[in-house]
């Protein structure tokens, strides 16, 4: 170990410490005061409900914990998007659980809340994974109704998905544990079975105030749509629970009786831990995003027994393609090599850049994994495709398009880990969010942008100074530096992994040491969904 290793280790562990601190902040939702008020009503918080429901000491991953981070500040913020989503095990069966956080605006739906709920349903649909809704919501956040109500990817899409999932025989269970109002009332009733908690749960299209305003009828919420009326009079709900824990125990009993599922058949053997210490990742991953390092050393700390079988090892060296196992599961890994390498012609190739030969290799490898039914894992630390006359004349666009085509048409499940840079078209070719990875998550060291910060800031500086000069404003060296610093700071904020996570461009920011768990649980979820079509790349330029 050298001084650079120690510097890297210190820096990456500080990033990890920041991650923990930020998570603790969002985990309290609307704050300790509102949590106390819930407890006074005999209710559990969203996180307490999920923790009680999931099997003790079993693996769990949380989806979009940082959704809404630093967004909607003029409305008081929306920690975790006002909803908690986790994948875990209920009565031994893998499920996804969605729980409204009533401490955040009484569980009201912000635009990001809708996006997060849709992401949870997307994961359920893609993987045929049972989904459990723990409902406690005041409905759409009215001051922003125009951004959550009418469009295709807005609130109403939730109920359309309920219907589609039912037709696909995907188990949906809902518990009404608080308010369930207006259009939101359709979600539990469009689920397979519903539970309502006595005295605290209520479900209706219009509450008592709106009923009085609309038709003049005077009635209280409990009589209108409480547990007794919905289970004994209208039959809207199927089970009445005496409290939160009773409702959650009813769900556990339901899930325990679900039959086995048809498996996709992905290959798995007994898991083996990496032979090389995974904690070395902190020292290997450089502090500067421009520094070189050997991605193979990262891979060896992620895969079983630190063993991998490289495909075309001596060709297209700026992309590593290799077969390996992660927690026993067979995987095909496509990773950006970050060190400078030489091609067969002894020419220097820059690390983190995709060249024609590496794109060609990756295309072939992705096709092979699809033929063998092997899930794909993409490790992103990419600056983009190589530019310049030599690359353009060599057909870089054509070769890059072939790789993008292969990623797009892949039928095996894909998982994307953003280790470092995720810039430009490199994000696309390496299975960014637009290319339907089953899960996409980032390390604290990640950056997502159309181009690197230094290059982007210089381009934006040229544009801004040219505009000011046209207005007759003289640009001194000092003024130019001030503009550059402003642009750089703004761009740096937008490339942060938290900026991406807030908008659910990624599913999570995680400790690198949790990567194996995320991929393993992701493949286990994907194994619920047999592959129903063949791999076909369609028409490509050869």
């Amino acid at each position: 170990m050298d001084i650079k290793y120690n510097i890297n280790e210190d820096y990456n562990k500080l990033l990890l410490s920041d991650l923990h601190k930020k998570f603790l902040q969002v985990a309290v939702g609307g704050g300790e005061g509102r949590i106390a008020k819930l407890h006074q009503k005999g209710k559990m918080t969203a996180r307490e409900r999920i923790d009680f429901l999931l099997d003790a000491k079993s693996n769990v991953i949380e989806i979009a914990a940082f959704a809404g981070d630093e967004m909607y500040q003029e409305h008081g913020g929306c920690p975790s998007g006002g909803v908690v989503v986790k994948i875990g095990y209920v009565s031994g069966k893998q499920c996804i659980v969605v729980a409204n956080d009533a401490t955040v605006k009484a569980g009201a739906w912000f635009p990001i809340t809708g996006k997060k709920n849709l992401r949870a349903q997307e994961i359920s649909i893609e993987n045929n994974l049972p989904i459990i809704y723990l409902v406690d919501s005041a409905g759409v956040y009215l001051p922003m109704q125009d951004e959550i109500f009418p469009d295709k990817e807005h609130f109403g899409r939730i109920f359309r998905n309920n219907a589609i999932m039912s037709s696909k025989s995907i188990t949906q269970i809902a518990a009404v544990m608080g308010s369930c109002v207006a259009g939101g009332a359709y979600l539990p009733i469009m689920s397979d079975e519903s539970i309502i908690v006595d005295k605290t749960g209520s479900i209706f299209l219009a509450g008592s105030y709106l009923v009085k305003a609309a038709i003049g009828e005077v009635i209280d919420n409990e009589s209108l749509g409480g547990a007794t009326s919905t289970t004994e009079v209208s039959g809207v709900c199927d089970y009445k629970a005496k409290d939160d824990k009773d409702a959650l125990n009813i769900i556990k009993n339901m899930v325990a009786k679900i039959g086995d599922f048809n498996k996709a058949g992905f290959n798995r053997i007994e898991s083996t831990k990496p032979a090389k210490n995974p904690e070395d990742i902190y020292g290997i991953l450089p502090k500067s995003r421009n520094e070189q390092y050997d991605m193979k050393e990262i891979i060896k700390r992620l895969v079983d027994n630190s063993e991998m079988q490289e495909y075309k090892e001596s060709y297209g060296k700026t992309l590593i393609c290799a077969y390996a196992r992660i927690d026993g599961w067979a995987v095909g890994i496509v990773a950006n090599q970050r060190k400078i390498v030489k091609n067969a012609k002894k020419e220097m190739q820059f690390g983190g850049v995709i060249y024609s030969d590496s794109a060609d290799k990756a295309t072939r490898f992705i096709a092979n994994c699809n033929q063998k039914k092997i899930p794909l894992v993409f490790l992103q630390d990419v600056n983009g495709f190589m530019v310049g006359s030599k690359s353009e004349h060599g057909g870089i666009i054509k070769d890059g398009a072939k790789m993008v085509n292969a990623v797009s048409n892949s039928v095996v499940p894909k998982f994307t880990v953003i280790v470092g840079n995720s810039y430009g078209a490199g994000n696309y070719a390496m299975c960014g969010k637009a290319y339907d990875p089953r899960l996409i998550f980032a390390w604290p060291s990640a950056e997502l942008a159309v181009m690197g910060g230094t290059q982007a800031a210089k381009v934006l500086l040229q544009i801004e100074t040219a505009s000011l000069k046209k207005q007759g404003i003289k640009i001194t060296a000092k003024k130019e530096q001030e503009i550059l610093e402003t642009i750089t700071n703004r761009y740096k904020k937008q490339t942060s992994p938290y900026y991406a996570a807030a908008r659910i461009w990624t599913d999570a920011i995680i400790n690198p040491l949790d990567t194996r768990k995320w991929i393993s649980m992701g493949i286990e979820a994907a194994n619920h969904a047999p592959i129903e079509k063949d791999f076909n790349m369609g028409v490509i330029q050869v």
Side-chain angles (χ1 to χ4, degrees), residues 57-161:
K57 298 181 180 179
S58 63
N59 280 335
V60 60
I61 58 178
E62 181 168 351
I63 303 297
F66 294 106
D69 183 53
E70 296 188 3
M71 297 170 65
Y72 315 118
Q73 296 302 313
E74 67 277 21
H75 297 278
C78 188
S80 273
V83 63
V84 182
V85 177
K86 293 188 180 185
I87 299 174
Y89 301 86
V90 179
S91 300
K93 292 182 171 60
Q94 194 178 41
C95 301
I96 185 163
V97 187
V98 181
N100 299 112
D101 187 348
T103 70
V104 181
K105 298 289 191 216
W109 289 57
F110 284 70
I112 199 67
T113 316
K115 186 172 184 179
K116 185 168 175 178
N117 276 267
L118 288 170
R119 176 60 179 143
Q121 288 185 322
E122 181 181 38
I123 292 170
S124 175
I125 292 168
E126 286 180 331
N127 299 291
N128 288 343
L129 205 60
I131 187 166
I132 298 164
Y133 308 101
L134 307 180
V135 185
D136 194 346
S137 171
V140 167
Y141 182 61
L142 289 178
M144 302 188 74
Q145 64 85 27
D146 60 321
E147 297 182 47
I148 182 63
F149 168 66
D151 210 343
K152 180 179 177 181
E153 301 302 331
H154 283 176
F155 190 62
R157 188 76 170 184
I158 304 279
F159 318 127
R160 175 265 187 193
N161 285 352

Side-chain angles (χ1 to χ4, degrees), residues 238-305:
D238 305 312
Y239 307 90
K240 180 166 71 171
K242 62 183 180 182
D243 56 25
D244 281 6
K245 288 185 178 180
D246 187 34
L248 297 168
N249 281 327
I250 291 171
I251 295 173
K252 290 181 182 182
N253 289 332
M254 286 180 179
V255 176
K257 296 173 179 62
I258 297 174
D260 203 359
F261 55 91
N262 295 327
K263 297 177 176 62
F266 302 122
N267 185 284
R268 191 181 197 185
I269 62 173
E270 186 176 348
S271 175
T272 306
K273 292 181 179 179
K276 293 182 176 289
N277 186 0
E279 292 202 6
D280 291 343
I281 289 172
Y282 301 129
I284 296 168
L285 200 63
K287 176 178 178 179
S288 170
R289 295 301 333 124
N290 297 319
E291 284 185 35
Q292 304 288 310
Y293 67 95
D294 190 350
M295 179 63 87
K296 292 181 185 180
E297 293 304 316
I298 298 288
I299 295 172
K300 289 175 183 177
R301 286 154 178 85
L302 296 176
V303 301
D304 289 13
N305 207 36

Side-chain angles (χ1 to χ4, degrees), residues 320-506:
I320 301 164
C321 296
Y323 299 107
R325 290 189 182 274
I326 293 178
D327 196 24
W329 294 103
V331 296
I333 295 173
V334 181
N336 301 110
Q337 175 57 288
R338 285 296 305 188
K339 42 175 216 182
I340 294 173
V341 295
K342 291 183 179 180
N343 63 15
K345 299 175 183 178
K346 307 299 181 184
E347 298 168 331
M348 301 295 289
Q349 293 187 329
F350 297 101
V353 178
I354 302 175
Y355 290 78
S356 285
D357 54 356
S358 47
D360 176 66
K361 175 172 82 170
T363 301
R364 296 273 302 271
F365 181 72
I366 290 166
N368 283 341
C369 287
N370 274 270
Q371 185 183 55
K372 297 173 183 177
K373 206 158 68 173
I374 299 174
L376 286 159
V377 175
F378 292 84
L379 300 179
Q380 285 194 9
D381 195 347
V382 58
N383 292 344
F385 285 90
M386 190 59 191
V387 296
S389 60
K390 185 173 182 179
S391 293
E392 299 292 0
H393 297 165
I396 185 65
I397 296 176
K398 178 179 66 177
D399 292 319
K402 286 191 290 187
M403 183 177 173
V404 170
N405 192 313
V407 172
S408 302
N409 285 299
S410 180
V411 296
V412 296
K414 299 167 290 193
F415 302 89
T416 302
V417 187
I418 305 175
V419 171
N421 300 340
S422 181
Y423 296 157
N427 169 281
Y428 303 155
M430 292 295 292
C431 197
K433 182 68 181 290
Y435 292 81
D436 296 325
R438 296 293 176 96
L439 294 171
I440 177 170
F441 47 95
W443 291 358
S445 49
E447 290 186 1
L448 286 79
V450 72
M451 66 174 72
T454 303
Q455 303 96 307
K458 289 179 180 178
V459 171
L460 291 168
L461 176 65
Q462 291 173 18
I463 294 170
E464 191 158 335
T465 53
S467 175
L468 291 171
K469 286 176 181 177
K470 283 183 180 179
Q471 298 172 39
I473 299 173
K474 185 178 179 181
I475 306 298
T476 63
K478 182 180 178 182
K479 179 66 175 177
E480 185 175 280
Q481 184 61 32
E482 288 175 355
I483 295 171
L484 179 61
E485 287 178 4
T486 300
I487 291 170
T488 301
N489 291 336
R490 183 175 67 237
Y491 199 84
K492 185 177 180 180
K493 181 179 180 181
Q494 293 176 351
T495 63
S496 160
Y498 295 99
Y499 191 90
R503 290 150 183 81
I504 319 185
W505 299 343
T506 62

